[in-house]
Amino acid sequence: RIDMAARAALRNVQKAKDELVLHDISAQLASEDEETERDALKNIHEKVLQWPEGWKKDRHASYPTTDLNVVIDFEMEDMAVIKRILDARLSPLLER
């Protein structure tokens, strides 16, 4: 199941790279107000490219985290597999 996380992280890396290219292009057209917001987004994308690549590191301001969001980062097929696993393992425990 580690392959699901690796695929999600790889998609996040590509998305971050794409967003940074767009950031560089739009930087020439932005006003000062827009620049502050864009710089914040740029920092988020740059963090995704830091080790471990593709993992998000901005969930908590107080302490560092590295995680993937199952709802946002995983494909539908992977979410279906996760659901089947959770249903098989947790449902019997919850029924007790």
Side-chain angles (χ1 to χ4, degrees):
R1 309 293 176 215
I2 299 295
D3 58 322
M4 286 186 247
R7 286 193 307 269
L10 186 60
R11 282 190 301 276
N12 287 340
V13 166
Q14 189 57 53
K15 181 180 176 186
K17 287 179 180 179
D18 293 345
E19 291 293 332
L20 286 173
V21 168
L22 291 175
H23 176 274
D24 291 343
I25 292 169
S26 67
Q28 301 164 2
L29 306 173
S31 68
E32 287 184 29
D33 292 338
E34 293 171 326
E35 195 169 323
T36 302
E37 183 179 332
R38 284 183 328 84
D39 286 344
L41 289 173
K42 180 182 178 186
N43 288 337
I44 290 170
H45 297 305
E46 288 174 340
K47 284 182 183 178
V48 169
L49 296 176
Q50 294 172 358
W51 188 90
E53 282 189 334
W55 289 71
K56 302 206 172 122
K57 301 157 188 85
D58 60 347
R59 185 164 47 104
H60 294 289
S62 301
Y63 52 92
T65 62
T66 52
D67 42 23
L68 296 169
N69 184 318
V70 175
V71 175
I72 296 171
D73 299 327
F74 286 76
E75 293 180 339
M76 292 302 288
E77 311 85 59
D78 293 338
M79 287 189 283
V81 170
I82 293 169
K83 182 183 181 322
R84 283 194 303 272
I85 292 169
L86 291 175
D87 286 348
R89 294 183 183 171
L90 292 179
S91 291
L93 295 174
L94 296 174
E95 291 175 2
R96 292 184 187 177

